[in-house]
Amino acid sequence: MGAHGDHDMGHTVAGWTGVAVAVLGSAVAGAAFIAGSAAGLWLGSALVLLAALAAWLLHLAGWGKATGPRPPGRRHWRVRDAAAPGGHPDCLGCRLAGRTGTVAAPAQVAPGRLPA
């Protein structure tokens, strides 16, 4: 149990990375707007688009999460999602990548244990 009680806050590597790059892009665009720099506005806008792309690619690589709460043992933000290669049901990002969410997830193996 963490500081937020026993519920899934949705923190993931994909989410944190996307937000960090988007905040950087917004800061660059804001500073460029104040300075009157068109090139800086384009750079900031490109960083915001890069944030969306990075978060999507990390989600597809398994560093995101499916819609809804995760089981308590899988809520740490650095735990990879084993179901990502097959796609998540009801996930727009997975559907855009051509993943339907119908493939069964690989078996979960606890750290330090070998599969039977």
Side-chain angles (χ1 to χ4, degrees):
M1 181 148 47
H4 301 293
D6 191 25
H7 60 277
D8 186 12
M9 295 297 290
H11 299 291
T12 64
V13 172
W16 281 108
T17 302
V19 167
V21 176
V23 166
L24 177 65
S26 298
V28 167
F33 181 77
I34 291 170
S37 170
L41 280 172
W42 283 108
L43 176 62
S45 300
L47 283 171
V48 171
L49 290 175
L50 179 67
L53 180 65
W56 181 50
L57 292 175
L58 285 168
H59 172 79
L60 294 176
W63 291 109
K65 75 177 212 63
T67 304
R70 295 172 285 189
R74 311 251 338 132
R75 290 184 182 164
H76 192 273
W77 73 281
R78 288 182 290 169
V79 174
R80 282 188 88 165
D81 182 12
H88 301 113
D90 301 325
C91 176
L92 175 63
C94 290
R95 283 197 309 259
L96 288 173
R99 299 178 181 179
T100 60
T102 58
V103 179
Q108 296 291 324
V109 178
R113 296 185 182 210
L114 296 175

